[in-house]
Amino acid sequence: MDKRFLREAIRLSIEEMQAGVGGPFGAVVVRDGRILGTGCNRVTSAHDPTAHAEIVAIRDACARIEQFSLAGCELYASCEPCPMCLAAIYWARLDRLVYAATRADAAAAGFDDARIYDEIPRPPETRSLPTVQALRDEALAAFRAWAAKENRIEY
Amino acid sequence: MDKRFLREAIRLSIEEMQAGVGGPFGAVVVRDGRILGTGCNRVTSAHDPTAHAEIVAIRDACARIEQFSLAGCELYASCEPCPMCLAAIYWARLDRLVYAATRADAAAAGFDDARIYDEIPRPPETRSLPTVQALRDEALAAFRAWAAKENRIEY
């Protein structure tokens, strides 16, 4: 079963890339043994740096069921998810991840996944991205207002 | 200048949350001293677990200029970006990040940012997310096809 869905993700990674949609990455979201959502990399054609295959598949599946949680679902990806997509998998509450190629394979093909994996855990002041923090006290008002909001929908 | 844009991100984080759009987070993308894109958290209203303020602001800015790179731009966020959004900032090639509240503040308010920061750097087999790798050789065909593609657009 895993191989069937993983091959579908790989098929998408090749066909959509050949069609000019984006980079060579595909993904599918599966629930109860059926495909609920699909995605391929659309970064260049959609002018969207966040349109990685996994993100596109998660958004597709969520749109279909009109829910922001994919608890009970699994994600199959043609390549190990980058940190953006891995974190999205946690936020989507997916139960399980199956992937084929690795971040090292992606790096060898010219993609920055491995470099970004190295950057994320670093303290902000040691990252290559210049980062500044300010106005924390003013921003905390948003969390206080959230805590006081009676009809808030948590996620 | 930083404070002005950061206050705009904080304003969005409160107003849009109070309007029921999503969690208490806001962000703006700035280029040449002007706001190019804005975003607030839309997870619950859009049924999209990836619709964090920074992702929404990045997509908004990219849509406006019809480009997948925000090189030359800065991002202002009401709270420290989660790993998904931080990686998106790298993929978007943003020059600089300015944020207000911290991941610890977000955690105290009930959001999983800090937990996901802990998960990302771990080897897959030690994460709380069950993860399986398979079919690497079949997936490498996609990278070979990408390398051979003459009119590919890199990102």
Side-chain angles (χ1 to χ4, degrees), chain A residues 33-45:
Chain A
R34 298 173 73 163
I35 291 177
L36 184 64
T38 65
C40 67
N41 183 293
R42 301 184 165 274
V43 168
T44 53
S45 64

Side-chain angles (χ1 to χ4, degrees), chain A residues 7 90 105 119 136 138, chain B residues 7 90 105 119 136 138:
Chain A
R7 286 194 172 112
Y90 281 94
D105 296 327
E119 287 279 309
R136 175 172 174 254
E138 293 184 31
Chain B
R7 287 194 171 113
Y90 280 94
D105 296 326
E119 287 279 309
R136 174 171 175 255
E138 294 185 31

Side-chain angles (χ1 to χ4, degrees), chain A residues 80 90 97 99 103, chain B residues 121-132:
Chain A
E80 182 179 0
Y90 281 94
L97 165 66
Y99 68 84
R103 73 181 76 172
Chain B
R122 292 186 184 171
E125 63 275 16
T126 69
R127 293 188 192 127
S128 65
L129 176 75
T131 304
V132 174

Side-chain angles (χ1 to χ4, degrees), chain A residues 29-112:
Chain A
V29 172
V30 172
R31 184 171 70 175
D32 297 334
R34 298 173 73 163
I35 291 177
L36 184 64
T38 65
C40 67
N41 183 293
R42 301 184 165 274
V43 168
T44 53
S45 64
H47 305 125
D48 180 358
T50 75
H52 285 200
E54 300 91 327
I55 300 273
V56 174
I58 287 170
R59 299 181 79 221
D60 184 45
C62 285
R64 269 173 219 249
I65 59 175
E66 296 185 345
Q67 292 181 23
F68 55 81
S69 168
L70 294 176
C73 301
E74 301 169 299
L75 189 130
Y76 293 76
S78 66
C79 184
E80 182 179 0
C82 82
M84 175 177 75
C85 295
L86 180 59
I89 288 165
Y90 281 94
W91 286 118
R93 314 304 180 193
L94 282 150
D95 281 11
R96 187 166 168 263
L97 165 66
V98 184
Y99 68 84
T102 69
R103 73 181 76 172
D105 296 327
F111 297 95
D112 277 347

Side-chain angles (χ1 to χ4, degrees), chain B residues 34-134:
Chain B
R34 298 174 70 163
I35 291 177
L36 184 64
T38 66
C40 67
N41 184 292
R42 299 182 166 275
V43 169
T44 53
S45 64
H47 303 126
D48 180 358
T50 74
H52 285 197
E54 299 91 327
I55 300 273
V56 174
I58 287 169
R59 299 180 80 221
D60 183 46
C62 285
R64 269 173 218 248
I65 59 175
E66 296 185 346
Q67 292 182 23
F68 54 81
S69 169
L70 294 175
C73 303
E74 302 169 300
L75 190 131
Y76 292 77
S78 65
C79 184
E80 183 179 1
C82 82
M84 174 178 74
C85 295
L86 180 59
I89 288 165
Y90 280 94
W91 285 119
R93 313 305 179 192
L94 282 150
D95 282 10
R96 185 167 170 263
L97 165 66
V98 184
Y99 68 83
T102 69
R103 72 180 78 172
D105 296 326
F111 297 94
D112 277 347
D113 304 50
R115 185 178 76 83
I116 299 175
Y117 263 107
D118 290 339
E119 287 279 309
I120 300 285
R122 292 186 184 171
E125 63 275 16
T126 69
R127 293 188 192 127
S128 65
L129 176 75
T131 304
V132 174
Q133 186 195 9

